[in-house]
């Protein structure tokens, strides 16, 4: 039986490329690279986790196709997404005399993809690179769109370059080894695509969330494909992130604020985005932009995915303060992506008064529902 596969085209003129989603595609890398016409010199950038799980398959395939591949292994984790790690990669490429027709492969999650993509963007003013994303976040988000970069001690993603990959090869089978918490966190970005661009897709998620959570192959292929299509379409309209691309930040204004308040430890990114989406929808509802049904549908699917939806205990000052540091603040105003209905969003500046009013109403609702739960508990 042939396994289903799909291809998404990212239309960016002479920088266009394909995203191929196919179970087992890691075994075909060598043959596919041969067709793209690179020299036989390749570098595989990875970390100890993905190196152990998937590098042998990739290297076997590369050597069968006649590639001479060196491996650069960077320590695991966000803390390795630094200029120093980029320097390690660049030194290895230079020592092996890489030239413009050599190719760099990023095998791993978003950290490896952003870092290796950045090294490829600046080595010899740009060499080709291929994304082999192995987390759901990387498959539906970071590997698509050409944003590469590293962190500085004072902030995340402060140094970077736009550099499109020459191809993205997604093997959904790699998701089977992903820790449950990482896999579920990636679903937040998938739900986001439904809200910002496609109500039908959102309805599909509502109906199939339990199969998706069980990693059933057909729904998983479908959600990766549709997510990549939506991101590709948004990026094709606005490659350099001037305007439209900002709709991808839905859930991220409050999400980033919560990540900051949690000291980057308590919530992982997708969890913070899940809460951010539900709360930004609630805010939109309180501003009269959308109906309460939008909020309840979103909340239900977020919870069914195994993600959190409720705000942790924060004061208005804490939340508003953290929102000011968000990069979506322009000319002193906090901009937020707000749903009008499922499938359509607008980007609007927020004013302090309405956020304060909404958060106060939220807190009051929380207190009163806790009291009524207690009253009900008392009767039984
Ligand atoms: N460039 C963009 O547009 C963009 C978009 C979204 C996120 N990002 C960046 O992506 C990064 C987050 O990416 P992430 O969530 O993939 O984190 P990650 O790369 O740190 O991966 C998460 C963890 O999963 C492990 N892992 C990866 N693949 C695995 C597999 N198949 N099986 C088992 N374990 C595996 C990793 O070693 C790591 O410990 C952040 O740095 C963020 O800034 C970039
Ligand atoms: Zn995100």
């Amino acid at each position: 039986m042939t396994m289903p596969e799909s291809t998404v085209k990212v239309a960016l003129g002479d920088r266009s490329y394909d995203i191929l989603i196919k179970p087992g595609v890691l075994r075909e890398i060598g043959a596919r690279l041969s067709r793209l016409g690179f020299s036989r010199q390749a570098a595989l950038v990875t970390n100890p986790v993905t190196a152990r799980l998937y590098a042998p398959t990739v290297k076997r395939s590369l050597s069968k196709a006649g590639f001479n591949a060196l491996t650069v292994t960077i320590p695991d984790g966000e803390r390795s997404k630094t200029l120093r790690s980029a320097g390690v990669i660049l030194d290895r490429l230079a020592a092996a005399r890489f030239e413009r027709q050599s190719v760099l492969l990023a095998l791993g999650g978003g950290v490896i993809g952003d870092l290796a993509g950045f090294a490829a963007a600046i080595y010899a003013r740009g060499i080709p690179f291929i994304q082999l994303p192995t987390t759901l976040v990387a498959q539906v988000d970071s590997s698509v769109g050409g944003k590469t970069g590293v962190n500085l001690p004072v902030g995340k993603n402060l140094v970077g370059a736009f550099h499109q990959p020459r191809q993205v090869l997604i093997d959904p089978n790699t998701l089977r080894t992903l820790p449950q918490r990482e896999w579920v966190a990636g679903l937040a970005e998938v739900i986001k695509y439904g809200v910002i661009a496609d109500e039908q897709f959102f309805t599909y998620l509502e109906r199939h969330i339990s199969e998706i959570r069980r990693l059933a192959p057909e729904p998983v292929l479908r959600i990766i494909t549709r997510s990549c299509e939506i991101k590709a379409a948004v990026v094709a309209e606005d490659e350099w992130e001037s305007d439209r691309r900002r709709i991808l930040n839905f859930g991220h204004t409050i999400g980033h604020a919560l990540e900051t308040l949690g000291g980057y430890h308590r919530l992982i990114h997708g969890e913070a985005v899940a809460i951010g989406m539900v709360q930004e929808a609630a805010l939109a509802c309180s501003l009269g932009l959308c109906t309460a049904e939008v909020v309840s549908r979103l909340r239900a699917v977020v919870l069914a995915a195994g993600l959190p939806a409720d705000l942790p205990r924060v004061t208005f000052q804490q939340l508003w303060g953290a929102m000011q540091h968000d990069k979506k603040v322009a000319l002193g105003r906090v901009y937020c992506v707000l749903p009008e209905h499922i499938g359509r969003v607008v980007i609007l500046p927020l004013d302090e008064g309405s956020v304060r009013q909404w958060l106060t109403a939220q807190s009051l609702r929380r207190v009163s529902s806790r009291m009524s739960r207690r009253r009900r508990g008392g009767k039984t």
Side-chain angles (χ1 to χ4, degrees):
M1 192 184 85
T2 53
M3 284 302 281
E5 61 178 80
S6 62
T7 304
V8 176
K9 294 201 179 306
V10 188
L12 296 169
D14 58 1
R15 290 179 311 289
S16 297
Y17 55 95
D18 283 349
I19 304 167
L20 174 66
I21 306 137
K22 181 179 180 187
V25 75
L26 289 185
R27 291 194 298 269
E28 301 172 3
I29 303 266
R32 291 185 177 275
L33 286 197
S34 302
R35 275 178 244 149
L36 290 173
F38 302 119
S39 75
R40 298 283 132 170
Q41 199 172 32
L44 182 65
V45 179
T46 183
N47 74 24
V49 178
T50 43
R52 184 178 60 77
L53 291 165
Y54 303 111
T57 306
V58 173
K59 281 162 75 173
R60 211 173 304 125
S61 167
L62 287 172
S63 86
K64 239 201 263 169
F67 280 88
N68 180 12
L70 68 89
T71 305
V72 187
T73 308
I74 302 293
D76 192 10
E78 188 70 40
R79 278 166 55 186
S80 294
K81 210 176 104 174
T82 58
L83 283 169
R84 199 191 166 97
S85 303
V88 169
I89 301 171
L90 298 176
D91 285 342
R92 292 284 303 279
L93 300 182
R97 298 184 185 283
F98 263 53
E99 35 90 48
R100 290 251 178 96
Q101 288 312 306
S102 313
V103 58
L104 195 146
L105 306 161
L107 175 70
V111 166
I112 289 294
D114 280 13
L115 172 66
F118 180 61
I122 59 176
Y123 183 81
R125 293 189 189 81
I127 60 167
F129 88 112
I130 308 280
Q131 291 272 20
L132 308 174
T134 60
T135 64
L136 185 60
V137 167
Q139 295 180 356
V140 300
D141 193 355
S142 61
S143 70
V144 182
K147 278 211 269 175
T148 72
V150 296
N151 303 327
L152 291 181
V154 292
K156 276 193 66 175
N157 298 324
L158 282 179
V159 177
F162 283 99
H163 188 50
Q164 300 294 344
R166 292 285 277 273
Q167 200 160 66
V168 182
L169 299 172
I170 299 180
D171 187 340
N173 288 344
T174 58
L175 299 174
R176 298 184 176 279
T177 54
L178 203 58
Q180 170 83 359
R181 191 174 179 195
E182 295 287 346
W183 150 247
V184 166
L187 290 174
E189 307 286 352
V190 173
I191 295 168
K192 177 188 82 178
Y193 291 120
V195 181
I196 64 172
D198 186 349
E199 174 158 30
Q200 242 183 336
F201 181 50
F202 187 89
T203 307
Y204 177 84
L205 295 174
E206 289 177 314
R207 294 203 181 128
H208 297 269
I209 196 70
S210 51
E211 291 158 73
I212 294 167
R213 280 193 69 180
R214 285 199 307 275
L215 272 163
E218 203 276 324
V220 167
L221 184 82
R222 186 155 169 176
I223 62 165
I224 297 172
T225 304
R226 189 65 194 128
S227 299
C228 288
E229 279 171 356
I230 294 171
K231 178 145 188 193
V234 174
V235 169
E237 269 183 53
D238 177 19
E239 184 177 2
W240 315 109
E241 197 171 39
S242 47
D243 188 30
R244 172 125 177 102
R245 196 165 171 162
R246 292 189 301 158
I247 68 169
L248 297 168
N249 290 328
F250 173 54
H252 287 63
T253 304
I254 291 178
H256 279 155
L258 295 176
E259 277 183 279
T260 314
L261 292 172
Y264 293 107
H265 291 302
R266 292 220 307 267
L267 292 167
I268 61 175
H269 177 73
E271 294 165 345
V273 169
I275 299 174
M277 288 191 297
V278 175
Q279 300 305 323
E280 288 173 16
L283 179 58
C285 180
S286 83
L287 295 170
L289 289 168
C290 70
T291 61
E293 196 205 351
V294 170
V295 188
S296 60
R297 283 180 74 188
L298 180 53
R299 189 184 156 80
V301 82
V302 157
L303 292 174
L307 286 160
D310 292 321
L311 273 181
R313 216 171 276 270
V314 283
T315 64
F316 169 76
Q317 276 82 6
Q318 284 172 320
L319 191 67
W320 185 248
M323 282 161 78
Q324 308 295 316
H325 296 298
D326 198 73
K327 65 175 181 227
K328 287 166 288 300
V329 175
L331 302 170
R333 306 196 74 178
V334 179
Y335 279 80
C336 190
V337 183
L338 299 164
E340 290 185 317
H341 54 75
I342 303 278
R344 203 170 78 202
V345 288
V346 283
I347 304 172
L348 290 176
L350 294 179
D351 76 273
E352 191 175 336
S354 46
V355 176
R356 186 192 291 274
Q357 212 173 21
W358 158 75
L359 194 65
T360 313
Q362 291 275 98
S363 320
L364 288 175
R365 211 169 305 134
R366 231 187 355 233
V367 171
S368 83
S369 78
R370 216 176 301 131
M371 280 169 63
S372 68
R373 260 202 314 273
R374 236 177 258 156
R375 267 199 304 274
R376 275 201 307 274
K379 275 183 197 156
T380 52

